[in-house]
Amino acid sequence: VDLAIVTTLPEAPGLEARAIAQEEFLAVASPGYLRRQGTPRTASELAAHRFIAFDPDLAMLAQWWRSTFGSREPLPGRVVCHITNLDEMQALAEAGGGITVLPDYLVKPAVVAGRLVALAPESGRRSLRRPRGTLWLAWRRAGALRWWRLPMAWSCSPAHPCSALEAISSSSTTAWAST
């Protein structure tokens, strides 16, 4: 693969990367799940709930949890499944399978439509840090494509994570991969 959008900064030799967007994480659950299990307000109440996580490292969940409650609060232990597909995580949450943490741009339509509820627990922290992740555009240095040297006048926003991707994808037939 010549070019990839990744969520962790690649450390492999011969790769270069540039941050292209920020994503904010939200903890969400279905209204039905919250009616049955209760709406958690504190870290201890939240930790007693079922969680749907991306991977065993709890990547998005851990980042949201630590940003919300601090590093001293233990991560929740009731992770009922790991699914490495964000759409499937959202579908499970909408079906009432538990609480999940996903990028805001992905879950916003479901929150607006009432299929998911964004959770805002009381953290007791006065941190200004928001639970965010960085999206990176990574490429092989040796195989750098000529079009890549175009000026970086791209616009990224929470509403439209990166219009640069449209410009790139319309000007190239490079294989795309995401992790």
Side-chain angles (χ1 to χ4, degrees):
V1 176
D2 290 328
L3 188 66
I5 298 173
V6 295
T7 56
T8 57
L9 189 57
E11 296 179 15
L15 291 180
E16 290 187 37
R18 179 168 295 178
I20 59 170
Q22 290 281 307
E23 57 186 359
E24 187 172 327
F25 299 123
L26 295 176
V28 295
S30 72
Y33 175 84
L34 295 173
R35 275 192 302 276
R36 287 189 316 277
Q37 304 298 325
T39 301
R41 300 280 181 223
T42 65
S44 61
E45 289 176 3
L46 199 59
H49 280 263
R50 298 167 48 98
F51 280 88
I52 302 160
F54 184 77
D55 60 13
D57 293 337
L58 306 179
M60 291 175 284
L61 173 58
Q63 201 165 356
W64 176 84
W65 189 272
R66 290 188 177 116
S67 178
T68 303
F69 301 114
S71 59
R72 291 186 178 169
E73 188 68 43
L75 293 172
R78 290 194 62 203
V79 176
V80 295
C81 64
H82 298 106
I83 300 175
T84 57
N85 181 302
L86 302 182
D87 292 323
E88 290 177 11
M89 290 173 65
Q90 180 174 339
L92 271 175
E94 287 184 26
I99 296 170
T100 193
V101 175
L102 290 166
D104 58 347
Y105 60 83
L106 181 67
V107 298
K108 185 177 180 179
V111 170
V112 169
R115 296 188 315 270
L116 289 174
V117 175
L119 302 174
E122 301 162 2
S123 69
R125 290 173 42 99
R126 296 177 190 245
S127 174
L128 297 177
R129 288 184 346 164
R130 309 278 300 182
R132 294 181 185 215
T134 301
L135 297 176
W136 301 90
L137 188 60
W139 64 94
R140 283 183 285 155
R141 190 174 318 148
L145 304 172
R146 288 190 181 116
W147 58 263
W148 173 240
R149 300 299 175 206
L150 294 172
M152 297 284 287
W154 304 337
S155 63
C156 299
S157 70
H160 196 275
C162 204
S163 59
L165 303 181
E166 292 174 3
I168 291 171
S169 63
S170 66
S171 66
S172 172
T173 58
T174 302
W176 286 85
S178 62
T179 59

